[in-house]
Amino acid sequence: MTGAQVDPLGSGDPATLGRYELLGRLASGGMGRIYLARDAGGHLVAVKTLLAEGVVSDVERRRFTREVGLAQRVDSTFTARVREAAPQAERPWMAIDYIAAPSLSELVRTAGVLPASAVQWLAAGTAEALVTLHREGIIHRDLKPQNILLPLPGPRVIDFGISHANDLTRTSLTLGTIAFTSPEQARGEPSTEASDVYSLGATLFHLALGRPPYRADSDTLGLLAQVQRGQLDLDGLPKELTNLIRPCLAADPAERPVPAEMLARFRQSLAGLPVSQGGGRWLPPRWTDLIGAYERHGRDLARGAGIGVGAPDPGAVRIDQPTGVVPPPGPTLVLPEQREQAERERAEQAARAAREQDQQEKARRARERRREEERTKQQRKERKRAQQEAEQKERERAGQEQRERAEKEAARLRAAEASARRRASRTPAASASAGVPPRTPRPSSGPVPPRPPAPGPVRKKSSVVTWLVVLAVVALAVWLIR
């Protein structure tokens, strides 16, 4: 049988906390531990302690008190309830429902991906948990497959206590966390309800395809840069899930649906399918088998079996790695200063790398714009030069045609004038041939009277021709000067 690893209590561990008997360790972190415990009625709880050893500072106690207060405000079927807490005790502790169920991350890793109908069923329950959290003014900030457990009745969202507090949030720079972080969170901007919606969309995508909605060929910093830019890779997403998941992954938080709207969409997507609240109807057998194994292991733990090596549990098979039934304390407990400083440095390094990549991309786009502007300017110059050359050729052609017309007109006028002179010179001979006797000159008896002018028609025609020639010459001269 598969189940959560529960290690025996150590010499420094208390035997009880409040009214709860400690059975074993579920997880240990830098400054805290999580124990499996049982009350007098046999009910199991996960008890979180701020410190396993040492003195609790005032700052640490205030943070833990704040976590307890926030967690106690939430009462939902789809979340893990806080049963009791003592933040002012010498060793502060908080008892939360122990949910004997695997996380979604373990289910996908062990039993494969889900069909679309099962994803829709899980989405409805998780969206209802977000509606409850946001109604209480709590932003989860770290919603991911590791923080959603799945018993058969439906999903349970865990680890939302301190997740909403800026001064308590410690996001590890790992692929498993960054892959489900919203772009604004990855850029260090304030988280909002829309950030949880994005994380839910990325989680549902993981359930359907077994991978995050980004390219798989990136290291941690490369993935962080993809998340910051909202550079998605949604290849393979089933069509029946596209309209449900794609809006949740919008890069702009304002374009994402609110949880209540998501819940309505998810419920509508289930319309027409058999009504069933439990996962036995929706989940494939390989998932229900693993969930059932966890339930049986939980019953064994309730009677004290299955704890540590050689525990009296003949039917159980102990696994060597934590399964995520209770979240690791890294994101929920205050980390040492050294780890906090290292994480800040890694975050700053990742941010610098992303900024440098963005600057390089902006510089590349600027170079392309400049080259395009130069090409456009050169094309305009070439078009203008071609237009000027065409206009010059048109002017030269028009001038050539005008000169040719002027020369033809001058030649025609010269020919007309020559023809008129020839006609005038032939007039006396024509009169003699017609039998008109030539005039006999009178004897000179005094001054010779002036010769009468030539007949009217001939002189008049000669004068007209002369003026036409003059006008043509003047017109040609004017055109040549222009």
Side-chain angles (χ1 to χ4, degrees):
M1 180 176 68
T2 302
Q5 174 182 342
V6 183
D7 295 325
L9 296 174
S11 58
D13 294 320
T16 60
L17 284 173
R19 61 187 180 92
Y20 297 99
E21 175 191 2
L22 303 188
L23 303 178
R25 293 183 185 180
L26 287 171
S28 296
M31 296 182 69
R33 285 177 182 163
I34 303 176
Y35 298 99
L36 178 66
R38 180 174 52 196
D39 63 10
H43 299 103
L44 295 178
V45 294
V47 179
K48 292 186 178 183
T49 61
L50 179 58
L51 288 177
E53 299 174 356
V55 179
V56 181
S57 70
D58 292 339
V59 174
E60 293 163 346
R61 190 179 297 277
R62 283 197 300 270
R63 287 175 172 174
F64 192 82
T65 302
R66 184 179 181 182
E67 174 185 359
V68 170
L70 292 170
Q72 287 177 329
R73 283 159 49 184
V74 180
D75 184 10
S76 171
T77 304
F78 298 98
T79 60
R81 293 183 178 90
V82 176
R83 293 300 180 183
E84 194 173 350
Q88 301 304 322
E90 181 180 358
R91 187 193 302 266
W93 57 270
M94 173 172 57
I96 305 171
D97 281 340
Y98 174 75
I99 301 173
S103 66
L104 294 183
S105 60
E106 182 181 354
L107 283 162
V108 172
R109 183 177 64 252
T110 304
V113 298
L114 284 180
S117 59
V119 173
Q120 293 165 350
W121 171 74
L122 269 170
T126 310
E128 188 164 341
L130 286 184
V131 170
T132 302
L133 291 175
H134 293 174
R135 185 171 57 241
E136 296 295 332
I138 297 175
I139 299 172
H140 193 292
R141 293 179 181 266
D142 195 23
L143 190 67
K144 55 188 176 182
Q146 294 92 322
N147 285 339
I148 302 176
L149 306 182
L150 185 58
L152 280 178
R156 301 291 186 267
V157 175
I158 61 172
D159 198 23
F160 54 82
I162 64 172
S163 301
H164 96 297
N166 282 329
D167 58 340
L168 300 177
T169 300
R170 301 292 185 267
T171 300
S172 300
L173 285 176
T174 63
L175 293 174
T177 297
I178 296 174
F180 303 98
T181 301
S182 67
E184 60 270 19
Q185 287 175 294
R187 294 191 296 264
E189 300 170 4
S191 299
T192 64
E193 295 179 0
S195 304
D196 287 347
V197 172
Y198 189 99
S199 297
L200 176 55
T203 297
L204 298 178
F205 185 94
H206 179 76
L207 296 180
L209 277 78
R211 67 173 180 87
Y214 305 98
R215 292 197 314 271
D217 56 351
S218 297
D219 56 10
T220 301
L221 295 182
L223 178 61
L224 178 62
Q226 290 185 60
V227 176
Q228 289 174 335
R229 296 193 299 266
Q231 186 177 343
L232 300 170
D233 178 12
L234 303 183
D235 289 345
L237 182 64
K239 293 182 180 179
E240 55 267 44
L241 295 177
T242 300
N243 292 335
L244 298 177
I245 295 177
R246 185 63 184 88
C248 300
L249 298 176
D252 185 356
E255 296 180 359
R256 301 171 199 156
V258 298
E261 182 182 356
M262 292 170 54
L263 180 58
R265 289 184 183 180
F266 295 147
R267 287 176 173 171
Q268 184 179 5
S269 68
L270 297 174
L273 297 176
V275 178
S276 176
Q277 297 297 325
R281 163 63 183 83
W282 303 99
L283 301 173
R286 60 186 183 276
W287 278 52
T288 56
D289 290 345
L290 184 58
I291 294 172
Y294 265 77
E295 289 181 349
R296 292 189 296 273
H297 188 229
R299 290 192 294 269
D300 292 339
L301 292 174
R303 65 175 188 268
I307 299 177
V309 179
D313 183 16
V317 177
R318 181 181 178 275
I319 61 174
D320 294 330
Q321 297 296 329
T323 60
V325 171
V326 178
T332 61
L333 298 177
V334 180
L335 300 177
E337 295 181 357
Q338 294 84 354
R339 181 179 297 181
E340 183 178 348
Q341 178 65 24
E343 289 184 354
R344 280 200 299 267
E345 291 176 356
R346 288 197 296 270
E348 292 174 358
Q349 181 182 2
R352 284 195 301 271
R355 286 195 298 270
E356 291 175 359
Q357 188 170 357
D358 289 341
Q359 291 173 356
Q360 292 174 0
E361 180 66 18
K362 289 179 181 178
R364 184 187 63 80
R365 289 197 295 265
R367 289 193 298 270
E368 290 181 353
R369 284 196 301 269
R370 286 194 295 271
R371 286 196 294 267
E372 184 63 26
E373 291 173 357
E374 290 295 331
R375 285 196 296 269
T376 303
K377 186 184 298 184
Q378 186 63 26
Q379 290 173 355
R380 284 199 297 266
K381 288 182 179 180
E382 292 177 355
R383 286 196 298 269
K384 185 175 181 180
R385 185 167 54 250
Q387 183 178 1
Q388 291 175 346
E389 292 176 354
E391 291 175 354
Q392 180 64 24
K393 290 180 180 179
E394 180 62 23
R395 287 195 297 269
E396 292 176 356
R397 185 187 63 78
Q400 181 65 25
E401 290 180 354
Q402 190 171 2
R403 285 193 296 272
E404 290 177 355
R405 288 197 298 270
E407 290 175 358
K408 290 180 181 179
E409 183 63 22
R412 188 184 66 76
L413 293 176
R414 287 194 297 271
E417 184 178 4
S419 177
R421 284 197 298 270
R422 287 195 298 272
R423 285 197 300 272
S425 63
R426 287 197 300 268
T427 300
S431 299
S433 62
V436 181
R439 289 186 179 182
T440 304
R442 296 180 181 178
S444 177
S445 58
V448 180
R451 186 176 180 177
V458 175
R459 183 177 181 85
K460 184 175 181 180
K461 182 178 292 185
S462 176
S463 177
V464 170
V465 171
T466 302
W467 279 107
L468 289 175
V469 171
V470 171
L471 288 175
V473 172
V474 170
L476 179 61
V478 170
W479 181 84
L480 293 175
I481 291 173
R482 186 178 62 180

